[in-house]
Amino acid sequence: MAAAKLMDFDKALELFEPVLGFEVHVELNTKTKMFSDAPNPANEAFHAAEPNTLIAPVDLGLPGSLPVVNETAIRSSISLGLALGCSIAESSRFARKNYFYPDLGKNYQISQYDEPIAYEGSVEVELEDGTLITIPIERAHMEEDAGKLTHMGGATGRIQGAEYSLVDYNRAGVPLVEIVTKTIFGTDHRAPEVAKAYVQAIRDIVRGLGISEARLERGNLRCDANVSLRPRGQEKLGTRTETKNVNSMRSVERAVRYEIQRQAQILADGGTITQETRHWHEDTGTTSPGRPKSDADDYRYFPEPDLLPVEPAAELVEELREALPEQPVARRRRLMTEWGFTDLEFQDVRNGGLLEVVEATIAAGATPATARKWWTGEITRIANSQEKDATELISPESVAALQQLVDAGTLTDKLARQVLEGVIAGEGSPQEVVDSRGLAVVSDDGALIAAIDEALAAQPDVMAKIKDGKVQAAGAVIGAVMKAMKGQADAARVRELILERAAQ
């Protein structure tokens, strides 16, 4: 397929106004699925389970099996709706969404249609320069996830050209909340940045509530980005495309930018936009056509006959409202002030998805500066080299314990990095790694004096220079001692001993 022609981004924004909308799916981390007692693979303990091992008759659509609503999923959905500023429906109903689902055994999805559990809200998102933008929320509704198809035998891993497909029903029935925005106007040149900031805001909210791991790379959080363009000054909306399941913050931003440039070129050339889903390709930074986008009528929604309406008690709603955590924007601004970080330092933490672990490391005893240093520096470097998430490698408590060894003089920064590698490799706690590898700083005067004497014997002119007032010459001896003792000498004490020797 030939590459699409793209208009320069700034030129596209001169001619057209971007209009956005987002549908974000949040996998809830309940112990069991939405309508069955099968384990929920969205949980850390089950996400890597063998295919088709986390299933129950309801998940497979077996005859005679009936759904039962997960109460915890209801509570989580209400909490999320409240955190999004939504009203909670006194009564909401599940519906059957009929569509060809090869990865849902019953061939329909249980969702909510015209009676969602939460509606009419808004969420405040913060751009990198501190600008606040309010995103209007139309609804947040409950539904179940589909399974996973793996296409085999083709060159691309896609259905086109595949010889056959395998279906894994583990994910079928995982509880979801789909958050649907209203139409978003006025973002202009900042449209891609707004898209990224919105998804970040949803991630921060659900993590703050503790209802989802919200890991885009694992599909705990999935974003469908709707983009359309209309000529400047025109009231009528353009035809939209829906880019599906974009799986990183950066990709959300890139996908919106790409669609603006692609659609602008088509319209400028006199073409028309097809209303369709589109697939995002991370490797090429492009989208490709999916399927024509269906309207609601095509899904033949009707009320789910096997489930009663959800009617949460007013007392429950107020209980959950009282338990809501601090809003992400307010929390971030409070933490930045408390920690004394600059805007850039705080953005490094936030953009790395490290806010929670840095906070936990500080709570475990590290200073804000050292917690930030470890997580945004050496830990992130190791994570990138191993293609893992930094938060998977080591606990905040271990990072704080490592820093305490540095503060106590047991380790230098260089030795601490070796200990970090040992902890990440599974060799034990920081203290256990120090003991097993023999990495503690040597501060015993006898051992240090012996090393100093050896270094001075190799550099007989250095002591004379120090005695003549050229104190910086001590650096050569300190370096030699550190090398001889494999970096484990107490450099400050070595310097003191050298100067004491010179004063004699």
Side-chain angles (χ1 to χ4, degrees):
M1 182 182 296
K5 294 171 60 180
L6 302 181
M7 181 178 289
D8 175 76
F9 184 73
D10 290 334
K11 180 64 175 178
L13 271 295
E14 289 178 15
L15 300 175
F16 301 100
E17 176 192 359
V19 179
L20 307 178
F22 302 102
E23 299 163 16
V24 174
H25 294 79
V26 178
E27 282 187 346
L28 302 179
N29 58 4
T30 53
K31 291 182 179 179
T32 56
K33 293 185 180 180
M34 189 73 203
F35 302 113
S36 81
D37 61 358
N40 179 3
N43 283 320
E44 182 73 22
F46 299 112
H47 82 270
E50 290 295 316
N52 297 309
T53 57
L54 307 179
I55 52 177
V58 170
D59 309 321
L60 299 177
L62 297 182
S65 59
L66 293 173
V68 177
V69 176
N70 186 321
E71 180 182 353
T72 303
I74 298 289
R75 295 174 66 98
S76 296
S77 301
I78 293 172
S79 293
L80 180 52
L82 291 170
L84 296 171
C86 291
S87 299
I88 303 302
E90 294 182 1
S91 177
S92 65
R93 184 184 294 273
F94 286 102
R96 290 188 180 182
K97 182 179 181 181
N98 295 275
Y99 182 71
F100 175 60
Y101 289 99
D103 43 8
L104 273 178
K106 55 184 176 287
N107 212 32
Y108 61 84
Q109 180 189 41
I110 300 178
S111 182
Q112 291 188 311
Y113 173 43
D114 55 345
E115 300 179 60
I117 194 166
Y119 60 94
E120 293 293 333
S122 64
V123 61
E124 195 172 50
V125 305
E126 184 177 20
L127 305 186
E128 290 192 3
D129 65 356
T131 300
L132 296 178
I133 293 180
T134 300
I135 303 296
I137 304 296
E138 179 179 299
R139 56 191 281 145
H141 64 262
M142 300 178 290
E143 61 186 23
E144 61 179 334
D145 209 345
K148 179 181 179 181
L149 289 173
T150 302
H151 305 295
M152 308 296 293
T156 64
R158 303 186 65 80
I159 192 170
Q160 295 85 358
E163 296 177 10
Y164 60 94
S165 298
L166 300 176
V167 61
D168 176 9
Y169 286 106
N170 279 352
R171 197 175 64 186
V174 166
L176 294 178
V177 176
E178 180 177 351
I179 305 164
V180 183
T181 68
K182 294 183 178 180
T183 305
I184 302 167
F185 301 97
T187 59
D188 291 326
H189 283 76
R190 307 195 77 170
E193 185 183 357
V194 169
K196 176 183 176 182
Y198 172 69
V199 179
Q200 284 180 324
I202 297 300
R203 180 195 65 184
D204 292 346
I205 287 170
V206 299
R207 283 184 175 176
L209 291 168
I211 62 175
S212 175
E213 300 298 322
R215 302 270 296 272
L216 274 83
E217 73 277 10
R218 286 190 184 167
N220 299 139
L221 193 71
R222 306 197 292 273
C223 176
D224 300 340
N226 294 275
V227 178
S228 67
L229 300 180
R230 62 180 178 182
R232 291 287 177 182
Q234 177 177 300
E235 290 296 320
K236 184 180 178 181
L237 295 176
T239 301
R240 65 184 171 88
T241 62
E242 180 182 351
T243 304
K244 301 287 287 184
N245 294 340
V246 188
N247 64 358
S248 76
M249 300 297 177
R250 179 170 175 266
S251 293
V252 171
E253 186 174 25
R254 292 173 68 204
V256 169
R257 176 181 289 270
Y258 179 86
E259 274 299 292
I260 289 173
Q261 293 180 267
R262 185 188 69 86
Q263 292 184 28
Q265 188 64 58
I266 292 172
L267 294 172
D269 289 343
T272 58
I273 305 300
T274 301
Q275 183 171 326
E276 62 187 356
T277 63
R278 295 187 67 85
H279 300 292
W280 170 251
H281 303 283
E282 181 68 33
D283 54 345
T284 60
T286 62
T287 65
S288 63
R291 59 178 174 81
K293 181 62 179 174
S294 301
D295 292 322
D297 291 345
D298 297 325
Y299 292 123
R300 294 182 293 113
Y301 283 102
F302 64 87
E304 169 57 63
D306 294 328
L307 293 170
L308 293 170
V310 177
E311 298 177 346
E315 294 79 9
L316 172 63
V317 174
E318 289 310 307
E319 173 193 326
L320 296 174
R321 191 190 307 276
E322 289 295 321
L324 290 177
E326 187 178 17
Q327 281 291 316
V329 171
R331 175 172 172 257
R332 286 196 298 272
R333 294 190 170 186
R334 174 179 60 80
L335 291 176
M336 188 171 74
T337 299
E338 289 179 0
W339 295 346
F341 287 178
T342 65
D343 288 344
L344 184 58
E345 289 171 340
F346 196 84
Q347 285 300 327
D348 283 345
V349 173
R350 183 188 173 200
N351 292 341
L354 301 170
L355 196 60
E356 286 76 18
V357 289
V358 168
E359 185 177 26
T361 304
I362 295 168
T367 65
T370 57
R372 182 188 64 81
K373 178 194 73 172
W374 281 114
W375 284 106
T376 62
E378 194 66 13
I379 299 173
T380 292
R381 183 193 66 78
I382 295 172
N384 291 340
S385 69
Q386 297 182 6
E387 297 184 346
K388 292 183 178 179
D389 190 289
T391 60
E392 293 180 340
L393 298 183
I394 187 171
S395 70
E397 292 75 18
S398 290
V399 176
L402 179 63
Q403 183 58 42
Q404 286 163 6
L405 291 172
V406 175
D407 294 340
T410 304
L411 295 174
T412 63
D413 280 346
K414 182 178 180 180
L415 292 172
R417 289 194 291 273
Q418 295 180 50
V419 174
L420 175 68
E421 292 172 356
V423 174
I424 290 173
E427 298 175 20
S429 69
Q431 186 62 61
E432 289 170 340
V433 174
V434 169
D435 294 340
S436 64
R437 292 194 179 190
L439 291 176
V441 166
V442 177
S443 54
D444 174 67
D445 281 0
L448 296 178
I449 289 171
I452 290 170
D453 288 342
E454 185 175 339
L456 287 172
Q459 305 176 72
D461 60 326
V462 171
M463 183 55 71
K465 293 179 180 178
I466 297 173
K467 289 184 175 183
D468 285 342
K470 298 177 181 178
V471 178
Q472 65 270 23
V477 179
I478 295 171
V481 171
M482 295 299 291
K483 182 178 180 180
M485 302 188 75
K486 298 180 180 179
Q488 292 180 241
D490 183 338
R493 184 56 182 157
V494 170
R495 179 181 175 83
E496 290 174 1
L497 292 171
I498 295 171
L499 296 181
E500 286 176 8
R501 176 74 60 86
Q504 293 175 355

